[in-house]
Amino acid sequence: MHLMFGAPGRYIQGPGVISQIGACIAQCGRSAVVVSDSFVINLVRAPVAQSCKEANVEVAFLPFDGEVTEGGIEKLKASFAE
């Protein structure tokens, strides 16, 4: 069996970095979608939204509490399309 690991080309972490996420996203584009479980979205929504606003980045939040399966991904895609 073959295993594959995919990761972003850039990984940033550290104290207070969430307040700078808008500027980081702006280097890639002017809009973003945050996909996470409901618990985490509720923790990060306000600071991410504020940081994106300051960086002139449009952000949407899409909670995903399902399983990472083909069916779960299809449901996520349908939610995103709405």
Side-chain angles (χ1 to χ4, degrees), residues 31-35 45 58-62 80:
S31 63
V33 177
V34 175
V35 179
R45 181 184 301 267
E58 186 177 331
V59 65
F61 296 88
L62 185 58
F80 182 71

Side-chain angles (χ1 to χ4, degrees), residues 10-69:
R10 188 175 309 165
Y11 178 81
I12 304 166
Q13 80 176 49
V17 75
I18 200 163
S19 66
Q20 300 168 11
I21 197 166
C24 295
I25 294 169
Q27 293 176 12
C28 301
R30 289 290 164 200
S31 63
V33 177
V34 175
V35 179
S36 182
D37 63 68
S38 299
F39 179 78
V40 172
I41 281 184
N42 289 332
L43 290 176
V44 303
R45 181 184 301 267
V48 170
Q50 181 61 38
S51 180
C52 286
K53 181 179 179 181
E54 291 169 3
N56 197 30
V57 171
E58 186 177 331
V59 65
F61 296 88
L62 185 58
F64 180 68
D65 294 308
E67 295 291 323
V68 183
T69 62

